[in-house]
């Protein structure tokens, strides 16, 4: 039987002697909750920031104000800046961030279900765009699963030879 995704993430991090931290907007701490529900999570999870308000993204995570003005907070650029910010803030090997629109209404002219997962590691930085459907809770749940999958993929790639 395959390990649940949060356990897979911690397993990969342990094998790599790596750590992760989270920066969350639309998921409101659900990603951190999924990661910390795993026994022994403290070996690889350093902490997280729920930056729901734009001002917190800027003041705590260091998302540049001009980036917010140019791209908005529901953007790949903001997701990457959030991931980089939490990584820098905590000293983690990897930072992962979620930002987007869970509903019930559109924001920044982006429809409900528009989500970005930002990833920042030692050698790779990227954003994963998602177009999700469903009610608010389903969008948050799918965002958490996508973020866990993305960080597992990134850590797994770093472990490949070559």
């Amino acid at each position: 039987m395959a390990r649940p995704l949060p356990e897979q993430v911690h397993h990969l991090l342990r094998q790599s002697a790596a750590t992760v931290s989270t920066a969350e907007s639309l998921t409101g701490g659900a990603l951190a909750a999924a990661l910390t529900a795993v026994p022994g999570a403290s070996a690889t999870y350093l902490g997280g920031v729920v930056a729901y308000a734009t001002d917190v993204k800027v003041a705590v995570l260091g998302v540049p104000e001009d980036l917010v003005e140019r791209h908005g907070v529901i953007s790949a650029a903001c997701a990457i800046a959030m991931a980089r910010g939490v990584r820098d803030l905590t000293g983690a090997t990897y930072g992962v961030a979620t930002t987007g629109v869970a509903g019930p209404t559109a924001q920044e002219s982006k429809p409900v279900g528009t989500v970005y997962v930002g990833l920042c590691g030692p050698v790779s930085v990227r954003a994963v765009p998602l177009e999700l459907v469903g009610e608010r809770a389903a969008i948050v749940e799918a965002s958490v699963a996508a973020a866990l999958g993305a960080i597992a993929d990134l850590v797994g790639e770093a472990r490949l030879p070559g």
Side-chain angles (χ1 to χ4, degrees), residues 32-67:
L35 286 166
T36 58
V38 176
S42 61
T44 55
Y45 182 74
L46 297 186
V49 174
V50 176
Y52 215 64
T54 300
D55 290 348
V56 177
K57 290 174 181 71
V58 172
V60 177
L61 295 174
V63 175
E65 288 182 19
D66 65 321
L67 181 149

PDB file of all heavy atoms in Angstrom, residues 32-67:
ATOM      1  N   ALA A  32      -0.080  23.164   6.159  1.00  0.00           N
ATOM      2  CA  ALA A  32       0.723  22.936   7.369  1.00  0.00           C
ATOM      3  C   ALA A  32       0.089  21.850   8.223  1.00  0.00           C
ATOM      4  O   ALA A  32       0.791  20.993   8.769  1.00  0.00           O
ATOM      5  CB  ALA A  32       0.860  24.235   8.164  1.00  0.00           C
ATOM      6  N   ALA A  33      -1.231  21.865   8.341  1.00  0.00           N
ATOM      7  CA  ALA A  33      -1.923  20.855   9.130  1.00  0.00           C
ATOM      8  C   ALA A  33      -1.698  19.458   8.554  1.00  0.00           C
ATOM      9  O   ALA A  33      -1.479  18.496   9.298  1.00  0.00           O
ATOM     10  CB  ALA A  33      -3.413  21.170   9.209  1.00  0.00           C
ATOM     11  N   ALA A  34      -1.744  19.334   7.236  1.00  0.00           N
ATOM     12  CA  ALA A  34      -1.512  18.038   6.596  1.00  0.00           C
ATOM     13  C   ALA A  34      -0.093  17.545   6.865  1.00  0.00           C
ATOM     14  O   ALA A  34       0.124  16.364   7.152  1.00  0.00           O
ATOM     15  CB  ALA A  34      -1.771  18.125   5.095  1.00  0.00           C
ATOM     16  N   LEU A  35       0.866  18.450   6.789  1.00  0.00           N
ATOM     17  CA  LEU A  35       2.258  18.062   7.017  1.00  0.00           C
ATOM     18  C   LEU A  35       2.524  17.732   8.485  1.00  0.00           C
ATOM     19  O   LEU A  35       3.265  16.789   8.786  1.00  0.00           O
ATOM     20  CB  LEU A  35       3.197  19.161   6.538  1.00  0.00           C
ATOM     21  CG  LEU A  35       3.336  19.285   5.028  1.00  0.00           C
ATOM     22  CD1 LEU A  35       4.004  20.590   4.636  1.00  0.00           C
ATOM     23  CD2 LEU A  35       4.100  18.099   4.459  1.00  0.00           C
ATOM     24  N   THR A  36       1.940  18.477   9.393  1.00  0.00           N
ATOM     25  CA  THR A  36       2.225  18.253  10.812  1.00  0.00           C
ATOM     26  C   THR A  36       1.399  17.123  11.418  1.00  0.00           C
ATOM     27  O   THR A  36       1.647  16.718  12.558  1.00  0.00           O
ATOM     28  CB  THR A  36       2.030  19.543  11.635  1.00  0.00           C
ATOM     29  OG1 THR A  36       0.689  20.009  11.477  1.00  0.00           O
ATOM     30  CG2 THR A  36       3.022  20.613  11.210  1.00  0.00           C
ATOM     31  N   ALA A  37       0.455  16.591  10.671  1.00  0.00           N
ATOM     32  CA  ALA A  37      -0.324  15.444  11.156  1.00  0.00           C
ATOM     33  C   ALA A  37       0.477  14.150  11.115  1.00  0.00           C
ATOM     34  O   ALA A  37       0.094  13.154  11.722  1.00  0.00           O
ATOM     35  CB  ALA A  37      -1.605  15.293  10.325  1.00  0.00           C
ATOM     36  N   VAL A  38       1.603  14.168  10.425  1.00  0.00           N
ATOM     37  CA  VAL A  38       2.453  12.983  10.282  1.00  0.00           C
ATOM     38  C   VAL A  38       3.361  12.860  11.504  1.00  0.00           C
ATOM     39  O   VAL A  38       4.070  13.814  11.842  1.00  0.00           O
ATOM     40  CB  VAL A  38       3.312  13.081   8.996  1.00  0.00           C
ATOM     41  CG1 VAL A  38       4.267  11.908   8.882  1.00  0.00           C
ATOM     42  CG2 VAL A  38       2.427  13.194   7.771  1.00  0.00           C
ATOM     43  N   PRO A  39       3.350  11.713  12.173  1.00  0.00           N
ATOM     44  CA  PRO A  39       4.260  11.524  13.304  1.00  0.00           C
ATOM     45  C   PRO A  39       5.715  11.737  12.882  1.00  0.00           C
ATOM     46  O   PRO A  39       6.139  11.276  11.826  1.00  0.00           O
ATOM     47  CB  PRO A  39       4.025  10.064  13.717  1.00  0.00           C
ATOM     48  CG  PRO A  39       2.637   9.765  13.240  1.00  0.00           C
ATOM     49  CD  PRO A  39       2.484  10.537  11.960  1.00  0.00           C
ATOM     50  N   GLY A  40       6.448  12.478  13.677  1.00  0.00           N
ATOM     51  CA  GLY A  40       7.849  12.763  13.363  1.00  0.00           C
ATOM     52  C   GLY A  40       8.050  13.928  12.419  1.00  0.00           C
ATOM     53  O   GLY A  40       9.167  14.175  11.964  1.00  0.00           O
ATOM     54  N   ALA A  41       6.980  14.668  12.144  1.00  0.00           N
ATOM     55  CA  ALA A  41       7.060  15.784  11.193  1.00  0.00           C
ATOM     56  C   ALA A  41       8.077  16.839  11.611  1.00  0.00           C
ATOM     57  O   ALA A  41       8.643  17.527  10.757  1.00  0.00           O
ATOM     58  CB  ALA A  41       5.682  16.428  11.027  1.00  0.00           C
ATOM     59  N   SER A  42       8.326  16.960  12.892  1.00  0.00           N
ATOM     60  CA  SER A  42       9.247  18.003  13.354  1.00  0.00           C
ATOM     61  C   SER A  42      10.671  17.797  12.847  1.00  0.00           C
ATOM     62  O   SER A  42      11.471  18.729  12.854  1.00  0.00           O
ATOM     63  CB  SER A  42       9.241  18.093  14.878  1.00  0.00           C
ATOM     64  OG  SER A  42       9.655  16.869  15.440  1.00  0.00           O
ATOM     65  N   ALA A  43      10.983  16.621  12.351  1.00  0.00           N
ATOM     66  CA  ALA A  43      12.315  16.371  11.794  1.00  0.00           C
ATOM     67  C   ALA A  43      12.512  17.073  10.456  1.00  0.00           C
ATOM     68  O   ALA A  43      13.642  17.358  10.062  1.00  0.00           O
ATOM     69  CB  ALA A  43      12.555  14.876  11.629  1.00  0.00           C
ATOM     70  N   THR A  44      11.408  17.357   9.743  1.00  0.00           N
ATOM     71  CA  THR A  44      11.537  17.930   8.402  1.00  0.00           C
ATOM     72  C   THR A  44      10.693  19.174   8.161  1.00  0.00           C
ATOM     73  O   THR A  44      10.927  19.889   7.201  1.00  0.00           O
ATOM     74  CB  THR A  44      11.179  16.891   7.328  1.00  0.00           C
ATOM     75  OG1 THR A  44       9.879  16.389   7.585  1.00  0.00           O
ATOM     76  CG2 THR A  44      12.186  15.751   7.301  1.00  0.00           C
ATOM     77  N   TYR A  45       9.705  19.441   9.001  1.00  0.00           N
ATOM     78  CA  TYR A  45       8.853  20.624   8.823  1.00  0.00           C
ATOM     79  C   TYR A  45       9.273  21.689   9.825  1.00  0.00           C
ATOM     80  O   TYR A  45       9.227  21.469  11.035  1.00  0.00           O
ATOM     81  CB  TYR A  45       7.376  20.275   9.013  1.00  0.00           C
ATOM     82  CG  TYR A  45       6.469  21.474   8.793  1.00  0.00           C
ATOM     83  CD1 TYR A  45       6.232  21.955   7.514  1.00  0.00           C
ATOM     84  CD2 TYR A  45       5.885  22.129   9.863  1.00  0.00           C
ATOM     85  CE1 TYR A  45       5.423  23.062   7.303  1.00  0.00           C
ATOM     86  CE2 TYR A  45       5.075  23.242   9.663  1.00  0.00           C
ATOM     87  CZ  TYR A  45       4.850  23.698   8.382  1.00  0.00           C
ATOM     88  OH  TYR A  45       4.058  24.798   8.175  1.00  0.00           O
ATOM     89  N   LEU A  46       9.689  22.857   9.320  1.00  0.00           N
ATOM     90  CA  LEU A  46      10.184  23.909  10.203  1.00  0.00           C
ATOM     91  C   LEU A  46       9.109  24.880  10.671  1.00  0.00           C
ATOM     92  O   LEU A  46       9.189  25.409  11.772  1.00  0.00           O
ATOM     93  CB  LEU A  46      11.303  24.704   9.516  1.00  0.00           C
ATOM     94  CG  LEU A  46      12.560  23.916   9.173  1.00  0.00           C
ATOM     95  CD1 LEU A  46      13.632  24.848   8.647  1.00  0.00           C
ATOM     96  CD2 LEU A  46      13.065  23.118  10.360  1.00  0.00           C
ATOM     97  N   GLY A  47       8.125  25.154   9.833  1.00  0.00           N
ATOM     98  CA  GLY A  47       7.092  26.105  10.230  1.00  0.00           C
ATOM     99  C   GLY A  47       6.411  26.701   9.025  1.00  0.00           C
ATOM    100  O   GLY A  47       6.721  26.362   7.880  1.00  0.00           O
ATOM    101  N   GLY A  48       5.487  27.590   9.305  1.00  0.00           N
ATOM    102  CA  GLY A  48       4.739  28.187   8.210  1.00  0.00           C
ATOM    103  C   GLY A  48       4.134  29.521   8.583  1.00  0.00           C
ATOM    104  O   GLY A  48       4.083  29.900   9.752  1.00  0.00           O
ATOM    105  N   VAL A  49       3.674  30.200   7.558  1.00  0.00           N
ATOM    106  CA  VAL A  49       3.016  31.495   7.701  1.00  0.00           C
ATOM    107  C   VAL A  49       1.708  31.437   6.929  1.00  0.00           C
ATOM    108  O   VAL A  49       1.699  31.062   5.754  1.00  0.00           O
ATOM    109  CB  VAL A  49       3.897  32.631   7.128  1.00  0.00           C
ATOM    110  CG1 VAL A  49       3.160  33.963   7.148  1.00  0.00           C
ATOM    111  CG2 VAL A  49       5.215  32.725   7.880  1.00  0.00           C
ATOM    112  N   VAL A  50       0.616  31.788   7.594  1.00  0.00           N
ATOM    113  CA  VAL A  50      -0.648  31.978   6.891  1.00  0.00           C
ATOM    114  C   VAL A  50      -0.724  33.467   6.597  1.00  0.00           C
ATOM    115  O   VAL A  50      -0.928  34.277   7.498  1.00  0.00           O
ATOM    116  CB  VAL A  50      -1.859  31.494   7.714  1.00  0.00           C
ATOM    117  CG1 VAL A  50      -3.152  31.811   6.971  1.00  0.00           C
ATOM    118  CG2 VAL A  50      -1.760  30.005   7.983  1.00  0.00           C
ATOM    119  N   ALA A  51      -0.504  33.799   5.345  1.00  0.00           N
ATOM    120  CA  ALA A  51      -0.479  35.195   4.892  1.00  0.00           C
ATOM    121  C   ALA A  51      -1.714  35.437   4.034  1.00  0.00           C
ATOM    122  O   ALA A  51      -1.633  35.508   2.811  1.00  0.00           O
ATOM    123  CB  ALA A  51       0.805  35.472   4.119  1.00  0.00           C
ATOM    124  N   TYR A  52      -2.846  35.549   4.690  1.00  0.00           N
ATOM    125  CA  TYR A  52      -4.112  35.709   3.977  1.00  0.00           C
ATOM    126  C   TYR A  52      -4.225  37.104   3.376  1.00  0.00           C
ATOM    127  O   TYR A  52      -4.659  37.261   2.251  1.00  0.00           O
ATOM    128  CB  TYR A  52      -5.250  35.440   4.973  1.00  0.00           C
ATOM    129  CG  TYR A  52      -6.443  34.757   4.364  1.00  0.00           C
ATOM    130  CD1 TYR A  52      -6.353  33.473   3.830  1.00  0.00           C
ATOM    131  CD2 TYR A  52      -7.677  35.388   4.341  1.00  0.00           C
ATOM    132  CE1 TYR A  52      -7.452  32.843   3.290  1.00  0.00           C
ATOM    133  CE2 TYR A  52      -8.778  34.762   3.807  1.00  0.00           C
ATOM    134  CZ  TYR A  52      -8.671  33.497   3.281  1.00  0.00           C
ATOM    135  OH  TYR A  52      -9.760  32.874   2.742  1.00  0.00           O
ATOM    136  N   ALA A  53      -3.810  38.102   4.115  1.00  0.00           N
ATOM    137  CA  ALA A  53      -3.893  39.487   3.653  1.00  0.00           C
ATOM    138  C   ALA A  53      -2.650  39.862   2.844  1.00  0.00           C
ATOM    139  O   ALA A  53      -1.537  39.419   3.145  1.00  0.00           O
ATOM    140  CB  ALA A  53      -4.036  40.438   4.841  1.00  0.00           C
ATOM    141  N   THR A  54      -2.854  40.693   1.852  1.00  0.00           N
ATOM    142  CA  THR A  54      -1.746  41.156   1.019  1.00  0.00           C
ATOM    143  C   THR A  54      -0.670  41.821   1.854  1.00  0.00           C
ATOM    144  O   THR A  54       0.529  41.594   1.631  1.00  0.00           O
ATOM    145  CB  THR A  54      -2.266  42.125  -0.064  1.00  0.00           C
ATOM    146  OG1 THR A  54      -3.214  41.428  -0.872  1.00  0.00           O
ATOM    147  CG2 THR A  54      -1.138  42.641  -0.936  1.00  0.00           C
ATOM    148  N   ASP A  55      -1.063  42.630   2.839  1.00  0.00           N
ATOM    149  CA  ASP A  55      -0.085  43.319   3.684  1.00  0.00           C
ATOM    150  C   ASP A  55       0.832  42.331   4.404  1.00  0.00           C
ATOM    151  O   ASP A  55       2.013  42.615   4.611  1.00  0.00           O
ATOM    152  CB  ASP A  55      -0.790  44.203   4.714  1.00  0.00           C
ATOM    153  CG  ASP A  55      -1.467  45.412   4.084  1.00  0.00           C
ATOM    154  OD1 ASP A  55      -1.205  45.709   2.895  1.00  0.00           O
ATOM    155  OD2 ASP A  55      -2.261  46.066   4.792  1.00  0.00           O
ATOM    156  N   VAL A  56       0.307  41.174   4.789  1.00  0.00           N
ATOM    157  CA  VAL A  56       1.125  40.168   5.465  1.00  0.00           C
ATOM    158  C   VAL A  56       2.074  39.507   4.471  1.00  0.00           C
ATOM    159  O   VAL A  56       3.229  39.225   4.793  1.00  0.00           O
ATOM    160  CB  VAL A  56       0.238  39.122   6.177  1.00  0.00           C
ATOM    161  CG1 VAL A  56       1.079  38.025   6.819  1.00  0.00           C
ATOM    162  CG2 VAL A  56      -0.641  39.796   7.221  1.00  0.00           C
ATOM    163  N   LYS A  57       1.601  39.288   3.263  1.00  0.00           N
ATOM    164  CA  LYS A  57       2.483  38.732   2.232  1.00  0.00           C
ATOM    165  C   LYS A  57       3.694  39.646   2.036  1.00  0.00           C
ATOM    166  O   LYS A  57       4.828  39.194   1.916  1.00  0.00           O
ATOM    167  CB  LYS A  57       1.732  38.571   0.910  1.00  0.00           C
ATOM    168  CG  LYS A  57       0.679  37.468   0.916  1.00  0.00           C
ATOM    169  CD  LYS A  57      -0.116  37.486  -0.385  1.00  0.00           C
ATOM    170  CE  LYS A  57      -1.192  36.441  -0.429  1.00  0.00           C
ATOM    171  NZ  LYS A  57      -2.327  36.705   0.447  1.00  0.00           N
ATOM    172  N   VAL A  58       3.437  40.944   2.020  1.00  0.00           N
ATOM    173  CA  VAL A  58       4.496  41.929   1.802  1.00  0.00           C
ATOM    174  C   VAL A  58       5.381  42.067   3.046  1.00  0.00           C
ATOM    175  O   VAL A  58       6.608  41.946   2.968  1.00  0.00           O
ATOM    176  CB  VAL A  58       3.886  43.293   1.384  1.00  0.00           C
ATOM    177  CG1 VAL A  58       4.950  44.382   1.352  1.00  0.00           C
ATOM    178  CG2 VAL A  58       3.196  43.173   0.024  1.00  0.00           C
ATOM    179  N   ALA A  59       4.765  42.309   4.209  1.00  0.00           N
ATOM    180  CA  ALA A  59       5.524  42.624   5.422  1.00  0.00           C
ATOM    181  C   ALA A  59       6.252  41.418   6.008  1.00  0.00           C
ATOM    182  O   ALA A  59       7.380  41.547   6.477  1.00  0.00           O
ATOM    183  CB  ALA A  59       4.593  43.228   6.479  1.00  0.00           C
ATOM    184  N   VAL A  60       5.634  40.248   5.991  1.00  0.00           N
ATOM    185  CA  VAL A  60       6.233  39.082   6.647  1.00  0.00           C
ATOM    186  C   VAL A  60       7.037  38.235   5.668  1.00  0.00           C
ATOM    187  O   VAL A  60       8.142  37.792   5.977  1.00  0.00           O
ATOM    188  CB  VAL A  60       5.147  38.229   7.350  1.00  0.00           C
ATOM    189  CG1 VAL A  60       5.757  36.982   7.974  1.00  0.00           C
ATOM    190  CG2 VAL A  60       4.416  39.055   8.406  1.00  0.00           C
ATOM    191  N   LEU A  61       6.478  38.004   4.481  1.00  0.00           N
ATOM    192  CA  LEU A  61       7.136  37.123   3.519  1.00  0.00           C
ATOM    193  C   LEU A  61       8.044  37.860   2.540  1.00  0.00           C
ATOM    194  O   LEU A  61       8.760  37.232   1.770  1.00  0.00           O
ATOM    195  CB  LEU A  61       6.092  36.316   2.747  1.00  0.00           C
ATOM    196  CG  LEU A  61       5.281  35.337   3.594  1.00  0.00           C
ATOM    197  CD1 LEU A  61       4.179  34.701   2.760  1.00  0.00           C
ATOM    198  CD2 LEU A  61       6.177  34.271   4.206  1.00  0.00           C
ATOM    199  N   GLY A  62       7.986  39.187   2.565  1.00  0.00           N
ATOM    200  CA  GLY A  62       8.864  39.957   1.688  1.00  0.00           C
ATOM    201  C   GLY A  62       8.455  39.974   0.232  1.00  0.00           C
ATOM    202  O   GLY A  62       9.280  40.231  -0.651  1.00  0.00           O
ATOM    203  N   VAL A  63       7.173  39.714  -0.053  1.00  0.00           N
ATOM    204  CA  VAL A  63       6.702  39.818  -1.434  1.00  0.00           C
ATOM    205  C   VAL A  63       6.799  41.293  -1.836  1.00  0.00           C
ATOM    206  O   VAL A  63       6.234  42.155  -1.161  1.00  0.00           O
ATOM    207  CB  VAL A  63       5.248  39.305  -1.577  1.00  0.00           C
ATOM    208  CG1 VAL A  63       4.733  39.536  -2.986  1.00  0.00           C
ATOM    209  CG2 VAL A  63       5.175  37.830  -1.205  1.00  0.00           C
ATOM    210  N   PRO A  64       7.529  41.610  -2.890  1.00  0.00           N
ATOM    211  CA  PRO A  64       7.696  43.008  -3.281  1.00  0.00           C
ATOM    212  C   PRO A  64       6.367  43.673  -3.663  1.00  0.00           C
ATOM    213  O   PRO A  64       5.552  43.083  -4.384  1.00  0.00           O
ATOM    214  CB  PRO A  64       8.632  42.938  -4.490  1.00  0.00           C
ATOM    215  CG  PRO A  64       9.338  41.624  -4.354  1.00  0.00           C
ATOM    216  CD  PRO A  64       8.332  40.704  -3.720  1.00  0.00           C
ATOM    217  N   GLU A  65       6.166  44.880  -3.160  1.00  0.00           N
ATOM    218  CA  GLU A  65       4.939  45.615  -3.460  1.00  0.00           C
ATOM    219  C   GLU A  65       4.757  45.822  -4.962  1.00  0.00           C
ATOM    220  O   GLU A  65       3.646  45.727  -5.469  1.00  0.00           O
ATOM    221  CB  GLU A  65       4.926  46.965  -2.735  1.00  0.00           C
ATOM    222  CG  GLU A  65       4.714  46.829  -1.251  1.00  0.00           C
ATOM    223  CD  GLU A  65       4.652  48.167  -0.537  1.00  0.00           C
ATOM    224  OE1 GLU A  65       4.406  49.212  -1.197  1.00  0.00           O
ATOM    225  OE2 GLU A  65       4.834  48.173   0.687  1.00  0.00           O
ATOM    226  N   ASP A  66       5.846  46.092  -5.675  1.00  0.00           N
ATOM    227  CA  ASP A  66       5.726  46.303  -7.119  1.00  0.00           C
ATOM    228  C   ASP A  66       5.325  45.021  -7.842  1.00  0.00           C
ATOM    229  O   ASP A  66       4.635  45.057  -8.855  1.00  0.00           O
ATOM    230  CB  ASP A  66       6.996  46.916  -7.719  1.00  0.00           C
ATOM    231  CG  ASP A  66       8.208  46.002  -7.636  1.00  0.00           C
ATOM    232  OD1 ASP A  66       8.385  45.318  -6.609  1.00  0.00           O
ATOM    233  OD2 ASP A  66       8.983  45.977  -8.612  1.00  0.00           O
ATOM    234  N   LEU A  67       5.705  43.859  -7.307  1.00  0.00           N
ATOM    235  CA  LEU A  67       5.268  42.589  -7.876  1.00  0.00           C
ATOM    236  C   LEU A  67       3.751  42.460  -7.717  1.00  0.00           C
ATOM    237  O   LEU A  67       3.059  42.063  -8.649  1.00  0.00           O
ATOM    238  CB  LEU A  67       5.976  41.429  -7.177  1.00  0.00           C
ATOM    239  CG  LEU A  67       5.662  40.017  -7.670  1.00  0.00           C
ATOM    240  CD1 LEU A  67       6.868  39.111  -7.481  1.00  0.00           C
ATOM    241  CD2 LEU A  67       4.459  39.419  -6.973  1.00  0.00           C
TER     242      LEU A  67
END
